[in-house]
Every structure is written in C-alpha cells, then in structure tokens.
Amino acid sequence: MAPDTVQTKRRATYDDLLRVPDTMVAEIVDGELVVSPRPASPHAFAASEMAADLLPPFHGTEARSGPGGWWILPAPELHFADDVLVPDLATWRCERMSVVPNTPAFRLPPDWLTEIISPSSVRHDRIAKMRCYAREGVPWVWLVDPLARTLESFRRNGDRWTLVSSHAGDEVVHVEPFEAIEIRLGRWWLAPDSPAGA
C-alpha cells in the first residue's frame, strides 16, 4: 500500500451483529461491532434487584404500588441510525409511548436507561454509548458498577451529561427520575463472599 493511501475501516452492519453467537452480547457503537461476554453474576444480580425496585411502583399505567407512568423493559435493542445499543434496563414514559409495541427493536429513544458496567464493557458504556445516548436525546442515564458498588446518575443538558448524584455501598437514596421511592443500594450487590458457581 502506498504511504499516502488512507485505509478506511468498514462500518459494521446488522448482518455482522446477527452472526455473533447467542453466548455473547453484540452491539454496534459508532460503526464498530462491539462483542462482550454475557454478564457475570454480580451484573445480573444488580439488574434483577434494580428491576425489582422499579417495576412495582413505576411500570405501566396501573402500577402495583406507586405512581406508575413508565414502561420498564430489560435489555431492549435500540436502533439509532447505524447504532444498535442494548442497555441493561430502559424506560419510556407512558405519555410518549402509550403501549409497548410488538417489535424486535425500538427507534424511539428511552426517557431513562441504565448501563451496568462490567470490566469488559466499561470503555464503551462510559464513553461511546454515552455519546450516542446524548445525541439521541435520552434525558437520564444511570451507570451502575456492581463490583465497585456505585450508582452514578446523569442528566442530559444539551449534548453533554451532568453528574447529578453519586452513591455507593449500602446508602439509602432517592434518585431522579425515580426519586418518589427509596432505594436501598445494599440490596443490589452480590455478597462479596458468595461462592463461585453456587
């Protein structure tokens, strides 16, 4: 190749994503196919506990125990232009999406989402995906690190993110946009002495 020749990397396509085995998580971020292993148990445990806290008071137009008004979905596939992103949880206000459509993917940006950070995904979750979410107008993002036992809440201001609050360990918190409920963070974390493979 001549020294002045510019080699451009081919942008990933949805067909590339479909070829990834089901044992992996695949996304397209800024034209790059990002493949990660399935989340380990601290990640899955945090996602389950977070859903357990949010679903009863907020899910749907007739929530079981609270104000309702949100559709809460685990790991939805989001299609934003050429990007294909899969947050751990995402919500849409019922006033923006009156019913949950029967569809394999969503083009309407969520009103809130969370990324549960794994060692293999931290760079994409914190940088590339946050840029995509800001560009698409997602108002709130939570970043949860189950190993560090932290929750960071971000609110979008224009094309930038503002850190609204950060919490750790066993704190009891009220965090927007779900500040109507009390969240006991300690329930989200897998016990540090849990045996592997138990």
Side-chain angles (χ1 to χ4, degrees):
M1 182 182 297
D4 58 348
T5 302
V6 176
Q7 184 175 12
T8 58
K9 187 176 179 181
R10 182 180 74 84
R11 292 181 67 84
T13 67
Y14 197 69
D15 285 338
D16 296 324
L17 187 146
L18 292 175
R19 284 192 283 274
V20 174
D22 289 343
T23 56
M24 308 292 282
V25 176
E27 298 176 292
I28 298 174
V29 186
D30 290 338
E32 177 185 354
L33 181 65
V34 178
V35 179
S36 309
R38 287 274 171 202
S41 56
H43 182 128
F45 188 86
S48 295
E49 289 298 314
M50 188 181 311
D53 281 343
L54 298 179
L55 282 164
F58 294 109
H59 185 66
T61 55
E62 297 180 19
R64 294 177 187 92
S65 66
W70 301 76
W71 297 118
I72 302 174
L73 301 177
E77 188 171 295
L78 307 177
H79 288 207
F80 300 146
D82 294 333
D83 294 314
V84 178
L85 308 176
V86 183
D88 291 284
L89 283 174
T91 68
W92 288 261
R93 289 188 183 273
C94 295
E95 63 202 37
R96 287 185 62 233
M97 187 168 77
S98 58
V99 296
V100 178
N102 182 358
T103 181
F106 294 84
R107 296 190 183 280
L108 180 67
D111 293 295
W112 167 92
L113 60 83
T114 190
E115 292 287 355
I116 301 176
I117 295 171
S118 299
S120 63
S121 69
V122 65
R123 181 173 64 91
H124 288 285
D125 289 345
R126 284 195 169 277
I127 299 170
K129 290 175 77 173
M130 289 291 279
R131 277 198 298 258
C132 292
Y133 295 144
R135 182 193 70 219
E136 295 299 323
V138 176
W140 287 285
V141 172
W142 290 1
L143 296 180
V144 173
D145 187 331
L147 299 180
R149 298 179 173 217
T150 60
L151 161 63
E152 297 168 283
S153 173
F154 294 88
R155 184 189 315 123
R156 186 180 53 80
N157 290 316
D159 62 353
R160 304 181 70 94
W161 292 105
T162 299
L163 177 63
V164 176
S165 63
S166 55
H167 310 280
D170 295 332
E171 287 184 54
V172 178
V173 298
H174 293 264
V175 184
E176 65 178 46
F178 302 113
E179 65 272 16
I181 65 164
E182 179 179 274
I183 296 173
R184 297 180 176 275
L185 287 182
R187 291 194 304 233
W188 292 7
W189 320 130
L190 196 61
D193 56 354
S194 295

